[in-house]
Amino acid sequence: MMRRYYSPKRILEIDDCPSCGGVWLDSGELETLREIFLSDNERAILREKLIEEVERHPDVVAHREEHEQFIRRMNNFTEILWRIIGIRRRN
């Protein structure tokens, strides 16, 4: 039997068996688990906030602008190539 911390903040220590993989919770530990871990709804809200924060980060904004400029240049280049190919096809 081994005791180890189950939560990143080292709030909850659980017992587990390295041989069989069994996990044992003492009285009140299940409730503590439920309290320290977020619900699906809470995780979804935090995920959206994180995405918004990342999208506003100056490095991400700059990279997005560079990428959009690159795409515009490639579209222009492709258009020019299609015009050249179209001219050659007619001849």
Side-chain angles (χ1 to χ4, degrees), residues 71-82:
I71 295 297
R72 283 193 296 275
R73 287 195 310 271
M74 290 298 101
N75 285 337
N76 290 339
F77 179 72
T78 302
E79 183 63 31
I80 290 168
L81 284 177
W82 277 113

Side-chain angles (χ1 to χ4, degrees), residues 28-43:
E29 289 181 336
L30 181 59
E31 290 77 20
T32 303
L33 272 174
R34 289 182 176 145
E35 289 171 4
I36 62 176
F37 287 95
L38 302 174
S39 69
D40 290 342
N41 189 42
E42 290 169 322
R43 280 196 304 277

